[in-house]
């Protein structure tokens, strides 16, 4: 929206997305380097990171630092932090959409949404999928 400053959260989100995009391109380039036949000069992970940092600085004017060890780990099949955290969530994407629809339904009916009511709804969903051993999402959820 023109005329408004971005929130700190929005700035961090955009910076993370830009970093992840640049890192994914660097991983592709590193895979291309690794696919070269033996005896042909290959660029290492450090060189590729440096090249992509420099290329991004020239094209956007923003410096995004890339870690060569993260590049090596991702190229070997590792997960990014975002994917690892997404795998730890209690709710699936579909369940999250159900919770959002529930919140909208309560709002449309004029009922106030309390943290307790929302937590009860999420606990019902999680108990259905995860079984009776699920203890609940807790107070800080």
């Amino acid at each position: 929206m023109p005329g408004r400053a971005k929130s700190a959260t929005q700035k961090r989100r955009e910076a993370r997305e830009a970093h992840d995009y640049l890192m994914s391109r660097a991983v592709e380039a590193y895979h291309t380097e690794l696919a070269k036949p033996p005896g042909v000069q290959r660029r290492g992970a450090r060189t590729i990171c440096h090249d992509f940092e420099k290329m991004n600085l020239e094209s956007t004017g923003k410096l995004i630092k890339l870690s060569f060890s993260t590049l090596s780990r991702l190229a070997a099949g590792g997960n990014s932090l975002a994917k690892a955290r997404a795998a730890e969530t209690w709710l699936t994407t579909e369940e999250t959409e159900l919770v959002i629809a529930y919140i909208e339904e309560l709002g449309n009916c004029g009922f106030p949404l309390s943290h307790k009511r929302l937590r009860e709804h999420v606990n019902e969903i999680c108990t259905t999928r995860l079984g009776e051993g699920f203890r609940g999402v807790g107070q800080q959820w």
Side-chain angles (χ1 to χ4, degrees):
M1 181 179 289
R4 290 198 160 193
K6 293 180 183 177
S7 68
T9 304
Q10 182 66 27
K11 290 177 189 176
R12 281 193 306 269
R13 182 179 302 126
E14 289 176 1
R16 171 56 51 196
E17 288 172 358
H19 179 272
D20 289 346
Y21 174 72
L22 192 62
M23 183 61 84
S24 68
R25 289 183 50 210
V27 168
E28 291 172 13
Y30 189 58
H31 278 296
T32 303
E33 290 295 321
L34 293 177
K36 288 183 178 178
V40 176
Q41 180 86 18
R42 294 181 188 169
R43 294 184 303 160
R46 284 181 200 260
T47 307
I48 290 176
C49 285
H50 179 71
D51 291 347
F52 273 88
E53 289 171 2
K54 187 176 175 182
M55 180 178 57
N56 187 66
L57 181 63
E58 291 171 357
S59 64
T60 64
K62 295 181 181 178
L63 178 63
I64 298 177
K65 299 294 272 178
L66 299 178
S67 168
F68 74 92
S69 59
T70 303
L71 175 64
S72 299
R73 183 178 46 80
L74 291 175
N79 285 333
S80 67
L81 182 62
K83 288 181 183 177
R85 292 282 162 88
E88 295 174 356
T89 61
W90 284 320
L91 295 175
T92 64
T93 305
E94 295 81 21
E95 292 169 343
T96 303
E97 291 172 5
L98 283 173
V99 171
I100 293 170
Y102 173 72
I103 292 169
E104 289 174 348
E105 180 182 339
L106 283 179
N108 290 337
C109 293
F111 296 116
L113 177 68
S114 67
H115 186 265
K116 180 180 176 184
R117 186 177 299 252
L118 179 61
R119 191 174 65 235
E120 288 172 356
H121 187 69
V122 170
N123 283 338
E124 281 181 29
I125 292 172
C126 290
T127 303
T128 303
R129 184 170 48 86
L130 300 173
E132 293 299 323
F134 181 72
R135 297 185 326 212
V137 292
Q139 288 288 337
Q140 297 288 325
W141 178 82

